[in-house]
Amino acid sequence: MNILLLGSGGREHALAWKIKQSKHCHHLYIAPGNPGTTTLGENVAMDLSDFNAIAEYCKRNDIQMVVVGPEDPLVNGIYDYLKSDVSLKNLIVVGPSAEAAKLEGSKAYAKAFMERHGIPTAAYREFTKENFEEGKQYISQHSLPIVLKADGLAAGKGVVIAASHEEALATFQEMILDAKFGEASARVVIEQFLTGVELSVFALTDGHEYVLLPEAKDYKRIGEGDKGLNTGGMGAVSPVPFAAGDFMQKVVDKVVKPTIAGLSSEKLVYNGFVFFGLINVDGEPFVIEYNCRMGDPETEVVMPRLSSDLVELFISMDKHTLGSQKVIFHEKAAATLVLVSGGYPESFEKGKLITGLDSTFADHTIVFHAGVKQSGEQLLTNGGRVLAVTSYGNHIPEAVETSAAAIQQIQYDGKYFRSDIGYEFRQ
Ligand code: AMP
Ligand code: GLY
């Protein structure tokens, strides 16, 4: 079949890499894609907020499947838009409806959903301008630290963990009264701080049945030892050793199954990935957040560790037969190290010449492009996160070392990466 993949990051390069290997994939188009995806399919210049242009492109190019990478088009209703077009009625769209995508698009919606279905999550209250004074009162009596979350999408910046009541009150005021994140912070969720180790679990579902994909752990802080500012993700590993056995069974029983049953009982239309952002609190899983898409950089380890044919799983999702699918995971570990621009996640320069990508890497290393731009024959940095270098290994440290060795061959001005990815899992 002809497949259109939407997005342009490392996540989409990894999805394209996996989709291209499917026996069901004929032509692969990536919109807008990046220089890395040109080796796997045809990049198509497209504005992902222009749903009409996407629908017309599907008709003109006989597209049978659309895979949506990022959350914005999903939250804005691309699923519903494409599915409401009668001439696209057989199109498989991988992603939830706008209503179901609120699980990511509205923190308050997600919390209420979890409460309705008894899914473990931090205790919370939500506030707007209307009950602002009550919110101040709530904060002043809250234990420290206090977690404040802008309700809507805020490009990953809408969560503040305040160490003092003063900071929490100031943040609360900025979000609600000063509209720090515009409409997204008109409503604020205040929740209990949970202490534990985070991990990301992924399911593919048709809203009734599901399969699990390999789990992953990402490393969000810029500095080694998990210090410094939050980023979009500095690396990821899979598998996550503590997720085996009992803990994973609890994740399935207490989180995954009740979530899918909740989607089903509430008749939410969902045909795509559910990303469970979890925290392990003394052996018990709690949901920190839902996302309605794959994670980045988790996808750069999850796709390499998925041995099953991804497009076949999408087709099975469409046929409502996921319940009988056996998903096969690669037995090796995978680690991705993200190369970023100097200065990121604060201000950084773009347009630096990247060299060494034509080096011979270990044959179990894959270099995924993220913030990279082609200029004639040259590749230039074009974002904070530039490349994601994934390697397989017999265990996590070996995979990390192999990626670190590949990174030595790649150069650009201001190159920075964390070499301690997976540090907790070193023997
Ligand atoms: P989110 O955007 O919801 O993923 O939140 C960003 C990050 O904030 C998470 O990955 C956690 O590291 C942290 N976080 C969010 N909620 C909590 C919480 N209730 N307790 C502790 N950390 C949290
Ligand atoms: N790695 C976290 C995310 O994609 O939201």
Side-chain angles (χ1 to χ4, degrees):
M1 54 171 59
N2 296 332
I3 302 174
L4 173 64
L5 168 64
L6 304 181
S8 62
R11 167 180 52 209
E12 286 74 24
H13 190 177
L15 285 168
W17 173 85
K18 185 68 187 160
I19 289 170
K20 185 64 189 166
Q21 293 169 36
S22 168
K23 64 173 188 268
H24 299 285
C25 180
H26 181 48
H27 278 300
L28 174 62
Y29 301 91
I30 311 99
N34 63 37
T37 60
T38 56
T39 61
L40 299 164
E42 186 178 330
N43 281 3
V44 183
M46 198 146 18
D47 170 3
L48 297 191
S49 62
D50 187 348
F51 294 172
N52 181 50
I54 296 170
E56 290 309 311
Y57 188 86
C58 290
K59 291 176 206 170
R60 277 201 314 277
N61 294 279
D62 193 23
I63 301 290
Q64 282 107 28
M65 178 182 282
V66 173
V67 181
V68 187
E71 63 275 19
D72 275 318
L74 292 166
V75 170
N76 294 329
I78 192 166
Y79 178 92
D80 313 79
Y81 188 94
L82 295 174
K83 294 303 281 183
S84 67
D85 189 324
V86 284
S87 54
L88 295 175
K89 70 179 189 325
N90 293 324
L91 181 71
I92 301 176
V93 181
V94 181
S97 63
E99 181 63 21
K102 282 190 192 161
L103 285 176
E104 174 164 2
S106 164
K107 305 272 188 204
Y109 180 94
K111 294 296 275 191
F113 176 90
M114 288 186 260
E115 203 158 68
R116 283 197 295 282
H117 299 287
I119 296 162
T121 188
Y124 82 106
R125 288 275 311 271
E126 58 179 273
F127 298 97
T128 61
K129 225 180 224 162
E130 273 61 58
N131 55 356
F132 184 74
E133 289 305 317
E134 202 186 323
K136 281 167 60 181
Q137 199 60 30
Y138 183 74
I139 288 174
S140 63
Q141 287 160 12
H142 201 288
S143 59
L144 294 174
I146 306 173
V147 183
L148 296 102
K149 299 185 171 183
D151 181 51
L153 294 183
K157 300 200 166 64
V159 175
V160 173
I161 299 176
S164 68
H165 291 104
E166 292 69 34
E167 187 190 348
L169 283 169
T171 304
F172 187 56
Q173 167 148 346
E174 268 172 26
M175 285 188 175
I176 293 192
L177 300 185
D178 311 339
K180 182 167 185 195
F181 301 107
E183 254 315 286
S185 64
R187 185 178 296 275
V188 169
V189 165
I190 297 183
E191 68 179 36
Q192 174 200 8
F193 179 81
L194 299 174
T195 305
V197 187
E198 291 178 53
L199 81 157
S200 308
V201 168
F202 303 94
L204 179 70
T205 185
D206 66 349
H208 306 281
E209 299 178 359
Y210 71 92
V211 289
L212 284 183
L213 305 177
E215 78 284 356
K217 182 173 192 310
D218 81 339
Y219 294 79
K220 291 201 172 85
R221 302 298 193 99
I222 187 73
E224 307 218 326
D226 290 329
K227 303 267 177 3
L229 293 173
N230 250 327
T231 70
M234 295 298 295
V237 299
S238 177
V240 180
F242 71 78
D246 273 4
F247 181 76
M248 205 58 188
Q249 195 56 49
K250 284 184 191 167
V251 170
V252 168
D253 293 340
K254 297 184 177 186
V255 175
V256 179
K257 284 186 176 165
T259 298
I260 306 299
L263 294 176
S264 177
S265 67
E266 296 193 19
K267 301 191 167 48
L268 291 168
V269 176
Y270 210 118
N271 286 299
F273 298 109
V274 187
F275 167 161
F276 301 89
L278 304 177
I279 186 162
N280 176 348
V281 182
D282 297 327
E284 289 297 321
F286 285 77
V287 178
I288 295 268
E289 64 169 349
Y290 287 117
N291 294 310
C292 61
R293 38 118 190 137
M294 287 299 293
D296 198 348
E298 289 97 325
T299 307
E300 291 93 307
V301 287
V302 172
M303 289 303 134
R305 285 206 65 236
L306 180 66
S307 291
S308 302
D309 182 323
L310 182 64
V311 178
E312 192 146 306
L313 292 176
F314 292 153
I315 293 169
S316 172
M317 174 191 79
D318 184 60
K319 293 198 171 111
H320 305 291
T321 59
L322 279 178
S324 56
Q325 287 287 334
K326 190 115 192 69
V327 177
I328 301 164
F329 297 180
H330 202 297
E331 61 191 19
K332 296 231 162 162
T336 189
L337 271 53
V338 176
L339 284 165
V340 303
S341 295
Y344 173 81
E346 297 187 282
S347 65
F348 57 85
E349 291 177 9
K350 296 183 186 177
K352 308 289 183 195
L353 178 66
I354 307 171
T355 58
L357 285 177
D358 50 0
S359 313
T360 311
F361 299 115
D363 60 6
H364 39 281
T365 292
I366 316 156
V367 179
F368 295 117
H369 291 209
V372 180
K373 181 173 86 175
Q374 181 110 32
S375 170
E377 292 291 292
Q378 298 186 327
L379 292 174
L380 306 177
T381 65
N382 195 38
R385 291 191 291 171
V386 178
L387 298 161
V389 180
T390 299
S391 300
Y392 291 101
N394 288 316
H395 41 68
I396 289 170
E398 188 176 290
V400 171
E401 275 160 32
T402 308
S403 280
I407 284 172
Q408 297 311 323
Q409 304 184 61
I410 303 171
Q411 301 302 336
Y412 58 83
D413 193 19
K415 177 180 94 170
Y416 173 76
F417 68 102
R418 270 181 68 173
S419 59
D420 71 334
I421 298 304
Y423 64 89
E424 319 91 305
F425 309 125
R426 294 192 182 177
Q427 286 98 342

